[in-house]
Amino acid sequence: MTPAPGERHAYHRMDGWERLYLLDLIVSVAFVLLDDALTVAWKAVVLCLLGGCTAAYVFLGRRIPGGPYGTNGRAYVVLSIVLFTPVSVLCPPTRFLLFAFGPQYYILLPKRQAMLATVALNVAPVLCLPLLPSSGEDLLALSVIGLLSLASNLVFGPWIQDVVEQSKGRALLIEELENSRAEVARLSAAQGAAAERERLAGEIHDTLAQGFTSIIMLLQQPDERRIGLAVRTARENLAEARALIAALGPAPLDGSTLEEALGRMVSRFGEELAVTASFGVSGESQPMWTGAEVVLLRAAQEALANVRRHARASAVTVTLDHLPSAARLTVRDDGVGLGPSAADGYGLRGMRARAEQVGGCLSLTAAAGEGTVLEITVPVSPATVRRGV
């Protein structure tokens, strides 16, 4: 489980080992004070030695498990063995401290060194005991306790150290996973922002920019009819801007069908350019999802804008064909055709991208002097898109 912010991983916490060590020290001090076999002077010596062990641990032996090994830890291990060996010989009841020192060595030293240190810790008192006037029972008891302590340290110590190292590795993997998730979230947000910017750029290009272009062309040779068309175009541009800001559907569709919106668009185009512009519908009309209607409407706007800017056409025909599971919009003109720069322009790329987003396709046929035919086909329902039709 990932720790909460500011919380250390379990393998970093030394609370349990330190409580065990503190409890063993307190009990050891009590045994020393209650040991009638020791004189006051020897009690003072033993207490000083235990105090030295404690001071060595505080200043040298405290290390976060899983962190780097250092010379301080090795110094503490040596000092603890040197200081505690006479304590365990002079006051046998303190020998259970052997069980507290062992885990410390595996925290402070690499596995092999820790195993050698625990062997030295448990063997040293047995070797030193014959130097003192002690009974055979003391030697036997110390040997048994030493063997038990040594066995437990050699069995559980390496296992605990392996658990700590594996926990450290898992903690690093968790941290990498969290960083990866944060990076994925950042990239997703950036991609979403870029997609939204591209969408807004397409909306502005297909609506406001084209409307302003129409207004400029109408006002270049002003008369009453052209001024009226420019005013109407400006009002429609304002409606488009408001719809764009409010994240609504395209303004020309508000309160009208796709056929009616396309018919008005083609009629106005013919009025603006004083050319023959016709709109026709074939097939049986059927309900169409908003995404498809928006794509067809924007495609018609862009196609007529290209005719206005590049084609120099005298006639334009726009046809909406209702197919069984799709709708096809065809824009045909008798102009000079599209040049390479226009055919690969931003508007056509945007139309193609819009069509592909809803599962449709776009085709363009243009030849110099033979006019241009643009066809865009989109599915009539989102379910058709999901099925890949």
Side-chain angles (χ1 to χ4, degrees), residues 260-272:
E260 293 171 345
L262 289 172
R264 288 196 304 268
M265 185 186 302
V266 174
S267 176
R268 187 183 66 191
F269 177 83
E271 293 179 14
E272 292 177 357

Side-chain angles (χ1 to χ4, degrees), residues 132-281:
L132 300 175
S134 304
S135 64
E137 294 180 358
D138 291 337
L139 178 60
L140 178 61
L142 188 58
S143 300
V144 171
I145 294 176
L147 288 175
L148 291 176
S149 173
L150 182 61
S152 63
N153 286 328
L154 292 179
V155 171
F156 293 105
W159 175 73
I160 293 174
Q161 194 175 53
D162 290 340
V163 170
V164 169
E165 292 299 326
Q166 291 177 2
S167 298
K168 179 183 177 182
R170 291 190 183 98
L172 293 175
L173 290 176
I174 291 172
E175 184 178 357
E176 291 177 1
L177 177 60
E178 291 174 345
N179 293 336
S180 298
R181 286 178 176 174
E183 181 67 12
V184 169
R186 186 189 67 80
L187 293 176
S188 298
Q191 184 178 7
E196 183 63 14
R197 285 195 298 269
E198 184 177 355
R199 186 189 71 82
L200 290 176
E203 292 285 347
I204 293 172
H205 175 272
D206 294 343
T207 56
L208 304 182
Q210 294 177 6
F212 289 135
T213 301
S214 299
I215 293 172
I216 292 172
M217 294 181 64
L218 289 169
L219 294 180
Q220 285 177 345
Q221 297 177 344
D223 56 36
E224 186 175 349
R225 184 184 67 84
R226 288 177 175 272
I227 292 175
L229 288 173
V231 171
R232 189 174 71 182
T233 303
R235 288 174 176 169
E236 291 178 354
N237 250 27
L238 178 61
E240 288 281 3
R242 288 173 175 169
L244 186 60
I245 294 173
L248 299 175
L253 282 177
D254 290 347
S256 61
T257 65
L258 175 64
E259 289 84 353
E260 293 171 345
L262 289 172
R264 288 196 304 268
M265 185 186 302
V266 174
S267 176
R268 187 183 66 191
F269 177 83
E271 293 179 14
E272 292 177 357
L273 271 67
V275 299
T276 302
S278 60
F279 172 68
V281 180

